[in-house]
Amino acid sequence: MQRLLEPGSIHPSPGGQYSYRVLAPCCRLFDREELPWPCCRLAWHSKEPSWRRIGRRFVADLAARRCPSYVVELLQPGARPTQTVITLFPQRLAPPLQEWWYSKQPASLACSNALPPAPQP
């Protein structure tokens, strides 16, 4: 995949059960505070795992890093529109677009980097 889905565009779900309206692209984050706490300290030899004490709480979700994620509004017949995040796992991001979407580089925080790179012909 080399281009973003346009905000406001409507697409069918992969199974065809509902449609969704794209609101915006987003970065799917993993909350490390939601990881299970060890229930038995003997298994950890009285040491909590280091991921509970060190580092950022929210990190990029490794499972979704190569795929586009969008904030969408689900359009189900007979139901109120619901906002949620959808990751399109069957689609893969092109390397330049993946770098823009989930970059770890400090230069990616620049205001000039607000839009994705132009698609390659």
mmCIF file of all heavy atoms in Angstrom, residues 12 15 21 25 29 35 43 47-48 53-54 61-62 67 74 80-81 88 94 107 115-116:
data_model
loop_
_atom_site.group_PDB
_atom_site.id
_atom_site.type_symbol
_atom_site.label_atom_id
_atom_site.label_comp_id
_atom_site.label_asym_id
_atom_site.label_seq_id
_atom_site.Cartn_x
_atom_site.Cartn_y
_atom_site.Cartn_z
ATOM 1 N N PRO A 12 -16.353 -0.984 2.337
ATOM 2 C CA PRO A 12 -16.959 -2.165 2.959
ATOM 3 C C PRO A 12 -15.929 -2.892 3.820
ATOM 4 O O PRO A 12 -14.729 -2.828 3.561
ATOM 5 C CB PRO A 12 -17.386 -3.019 1.768
ATOM 6 C CG PRO A 12 -16.445 -2.620 0.678
ATOM 7 C CD PRO A 12 -16.122 -1.168 0.907
ATOM 8 N N GLY A 15 -15.262 -8.674 5.387
ATOM 9 C CA GLY A 15 -16.273 -9.719 5.307
ATOM 10 C C GLY A 15 -17.576 -9.245 4.694
ATOM 11 O O GLY A 15 -18.470 -10.036 4.431
ATOM 12 N N ARG A 21 -16.682 4.530 7.569
ATOM 13 C CA ARG A 21 -16.235 5.818 7.038
ATOM 14 C C ARG A 21 -14.905 6.144 7.702
ATOM 15 O O ARG A 21 -14.790 6.142 8.925
ATOM 16 C CB ARG A 21 -17.252 6.919 7.351
ATOM 17 C CG ARG A 21 -16.803 8.301 6.851
ATOM 18 C CD ARG A 21 -17.801 9.394 7.198
ATOM 19 N NE ARG A 21 -19.061 9.153 6.492
ATOM 20 C CZ ARG A 21 -20.228 8.933 7.098
ATOM 21 N NH1 ARG A 21 -20.301 8.910 8.415
ATOM 22 N NH2 ARG A 21 -21.318 8.739 6.391
ATOM 23 N N PRO A 25 -6.086 8.633 9.692
ATOM 24 C CA PRO A 25 -5.100 7.586 9.997
ATOM 25 C C PRO A 25 -4.648 7.737 11.445
ATOM 26 O O PRO A 25 -4.714 8.830 12.023
ATOM 27 C CB PRO A 25 -3.966 7.870 9.021
ATOM 28 C CG PRO A 25 -4.088 9.306 8.699
ATOM 29 C CD PRO A 25 -5.536 9.656 8.805
ATOM 30 N N LEU A 29 -1.263 1.928 19.368
ATOM 31 C CA LEU A 29 -0.318 1.823 20.465
ATOM 32 C C LEU A 29 -0.668 0.653 21.369
ATOM 33 O O LEU A 29 -1.826 0.268 21.491
ATOM 34 C CB LEU A 29 -0.306 3.112 21.281
ATOM 35 C CG LEU A 29 0.104 4.372 20.526
ATOM 36 C CD1 LEU A 29 -0.004 5.580 21.439
ATOM 37 C CD2 LEU A 29 1.503 4.244 19.974
ATOM 38 N N LEU A 35 -0.406 -5.381 30.519
ATOM 39 C CA LEU A 35 0.193 -6.714 30.555
ATOM 40 C C LEU A 35 -0.122 -7.370 31.896
ATOM 41 O O LEU A 35 -0.228 -6.692 32.913
ATOM 42 C CB LEU A 35 1.710 -6.620 30.361
ATOM 43 C CG LEU A 35 2.161 -6.253 28.954
ATOM 44 C CD1 LEU A 35 3.654 -5.974 28.957
ATOM 45 C CD2 LEU A 35 1.839 -7.356 27.975
ATOM 46 N N ALA A 43 7.861 -17.564 40.770
ATOM 47 C CA ALA A 43 8.196 -17.794 39.366
ATOM 48 C C ALA A 43 9.169 -16.724 38.862
ATOM 49 O O ALA A 43 9.957 -16.970 37.957
ATOM 50 C CB ALA A 43 6.933 -17.796 38.520
ATOM 51 N N LYS A 47 11.573 -10.891 41.601
ATOM 52 C CA LYS A 47 11.882 -9.742 40.758
ATOM 53 C C LYS A 47 10.729 -9.504 39.798
ATOM 54 O O LYS A 47 10.300 -10.418 39.113
ATOM 55 C CB LYS A 47 13.155 -9.981 39.950
ATOM 56 C CG LYS A 47 14.387 -10.153 40.799
ATOM 57 C CD LYS A 47 15.577 -10.425 39.912
ATOM 58 C CE LYS A 47 16.810 -10.680 40.757
ATOM 59 N NZ LYS A 47 17.948 -11.046 39.925
ATOM 60 N N GLU A 48 10.217 -8.265 39.774
ATOM 61 C CA GLU A 48 9.221 -7.930 38.765
ATOM 62 C C GLU A 48 9.912 -7.822 37.418
ATOM 63 O O GLU A 48 11.082 -7.452 37.341
ATOM 64 C CB GLU A 48 8.543 -6.587 39.075
ATOM 65 C CG GLU A 48 7.338 -6.726 39.959
ATOM 66 C CD GLU A 48 7.732 -6.843 41.414
ATOM 67 O OE1 GLU A 48 8.787 -6.306 41.770
ATOM 68 O OE2 GLU A 48 6.996 -7.475 42.175
ATOM 69 N N ARG A 53 8.816 -1.508 35.040
ATOM 70 C CA ARG A 53 9.476 -0.411 35.735
ATOM 71 C C ARG A 53 10.191 0.565 34.815
ATOM 72 O O ARG A 53 10.401 1.694 35.188
ATOM 73 C CB ARG A 53 10.499 -0.989 36.712
ATOM 74 C CG ARG A 53 9.862 -1.784 37.812
ATOM 75 C CD ARG A 53 10.894 -2.379 38.715
ATOM 76 N NE ARG A 53 11.371 -3.631 38.114
ATOM 77 C CZ ARG A 53 12.614 -4.021 38.128
ATOM 78 N NH1 ARG A 53 13.543 -3.314 38.702
ATOM 79 N NH2 ARG A 53 12.966 -5.153 37.565
ATOM 80 N N ILE A 54 10.587 0.134 33.629
ATOM 81 C CA ILE A 54 11.454 0.949 32.797
ATOM 82 C C ILE A 54 10.799 1.189 31.448
ATOM 83 O O ILE A 54 10.206 0.285 30.878
ATOM 84 C CB ILE A 54 12.818 0.253 32.583
ATOM 85 C CG1 ILE A 54 13.486 0.035 33.932
ATOM 86 C CG2 ILE A 54 13.712 1.064 31.669
ATOM 87 C CD1 ILE A 54 14.714 -0.845 33.860
ATOM 88 N N ASP A 61 2.459 -0.767 18.562
ATOM 89 C CA ASP A 61 2.067 -2.172 18.563
ATOM 90 C C ASP A 61 2.828 -2.895 17.454
ATOM 91 O O ASP A 61 2.675 -2.584 16.281
ATOM 92 C CB ASP A 61 0.562 -2.281 18.350
ATOM 93 C CG ASP A 61 0.037 -3.680 18.583
ATOM 94 O OD1 ASP A 61 0.848 -4.629 18.608
ATOM 95 O OD2 ASP A 61 -1.180 -3.823 18.727
ATOM 96 N N LEU A 62 3.677 -3.859 17.829
ATOM 97 C CA LEU A 62 4.496 -4.562 16.837
ATOM 98 C C LEU A 62 3.659 -5.347 15.840
ATOM 99 O O LEU A 62 4.038 -5.503 14.688
ATOM 100 C CB LEU A 62 5.474 -5.508 17.541
ATOM 101 C CG LEU A 62 6.564 -4.836 18.365
ATOM 102 C CD1 LEU A 62 7.410 -5.884 19.066
ATOM 103 C CD2 LEU A 62 7.424 -3.962 17.487
ATOM 104 N N CYS A 67 1.111 -2.475 9.008
ATOM 105 C CA CYS A 67 -0.218 -2.365 8.404
ATOM 106 C C CYS A 67 -0.841 -1.021 8.775
ATOM 107 O O CYS A 67 -0.592 -0.502 9.855
ATOM 108 C CB CYS A 67 -1.111 -3.497 8.900
ATOM 109 S SG CYS A 67 -0.382 -5.126 8.686
ATOM 110 N N LEU A 74 -18.120 3.095 12.231
ATOM 111 C CA LEU A 74 -18.802 1.920 11.698
ATOM 112 C C LEU A 74 -20.220 2.297 11.305
ATOM 113 O O LEU A 74 -20.942 2.922 12.073
ATOM 114 C CB LEU A 74 -18.845 0.798 12.735
ATOM 115 C CG LEU A 74 -17.498 0.251 13.194
ATOM 116 C CD1 LEU A 74 -17.710 -0.826 14.235
ATOM 117 C CD2 LEU A 74 -16.699 -0.267 12.029
ATOM 118 N N ARG A 80 -26.634 2.835 15.614
ATOM 119 C CA ARG A 80 -25.993 4.150 15.627
ATOM 120 C C ARG A 80 -24.546 4.014 15.166
ATOM 121 O O ARG A 80 -23.891 3.010 15.471
ATOM 122 C CB ARG A 80 -26.017 4.729 17.035
ATOM 123 C CG ARG A 80 -27.400 5.092 17.490
ATOM 124 C CD ARG A 80 -27.436 5.786 18.834
ATOM 125 N NE ARG A 80 -26.119 6.018 19.417
ATOM 126 C CZ ARG A 80 -25.920 6.156 20.715
ATOM 127 N NH1 ARG A 80 -26.909 6.051 21.555
ATOM 128 N NH2 ARG A 80 -24.714 6.382 21.176
ATOM 129 N N PRO A 81 -24.031 5.015 14.455
ATOM 130 C CA PRO A 81 -22.611 4.966 14.061
ATOM 131 C C PRO A 81 -21.710 4.917 15.298
ATOM 132 O O PRO A 81 -21.949 5.619 16.273
ATOM 133 C CB PRO A 81 -22.406 6.251 13.278
ATOM 134 C CG PRO A 81 -23.769 6.652 12.830
ATOM 135 C CD PRO A 81 -24.710 6.170 13.895
ATOM 136 N N LEU A 88 -5.923 -2.655 9.071
ATOM 137 C CA LEU A 88 -6.121 -3.437 7.855
ATOM 138 C C LEU A 88 -4.934 -4.387 7.680
ATOM 139 O O LEU A 88 -3.987 -4.105 6.958
ATOM 140 C CB LEU A 88 -6.285 -2.507 6.656
ATOM 141 C CG LEU A 88 -7.421 -1.489 6.793
ATOM 142 C CD1 LEU A 88 -7.425 -0.531 5.621
ATOM 143 C CD2 LEU A 88 -8.753 -2.189 6.919
ATOM 144 N N ALA A 94 4.068 0.328 2.296
ATOM 145 C CA ALA A 94 5.337 0.443 1.580
ATOM 146 C C ALA A 94 6.377 0.987 2.560
ATOM 147 O O ALA A 94 6.038 1.721 3.487
ATOM 148 C CB ALA A 94 5.172 1.368 0.382
ATOM 149 N N ALA A 107 13.752 13.241 13.803
ATOM 150 C CA ALA A 107 13.386 14.170 12.729
ATOM 151 C C ALA A 107 11.932 13.990 12.298
ATOM 152 O O ALA A 107 11.342 14.885 11.705
ATOM 153 C CB ALA A 107 14.310 13.972 11.531
ATOM 154 N N LEU A 115 2.516 15.283 6.624
ATOM 155 C CA LEU A 115 1.891 14.530 5.535
ATOM 156 C C LEU A 115 2.801 13.385 5.099
ATOM 157 O O LEU A 115 4.023 13.489 5.179
ATOM 158 C CB LEU A 115 1.618 15.440 4.335
ATOM 159 C CG LEU A 115 0.622 16.573 4.594
ATOM 160 C CD1 LEU A 115 0.535 17.482 3.388
ATOM 161 C CD2 LEU A 115 -0.747 16.012 4.946
ATOM 162 N N PRO A 116 2.218 12.288 4.644
ATOM 163 C CA PRO A 116 3.053 11.155 4.215
ATOM 164 C C PRO A 116 3.815 11.493 2.932
ATOM 165 O O PRO A 116 3.465 12.439 2.216
ATOM 166 C CB PRO A 116 2.025 10.048 3.951
ATOM 167 C CG PRO A 116 0.765 10.761 3.683
ATOM 168 C CD PRO A 116 0.801 12.023 4.493
#
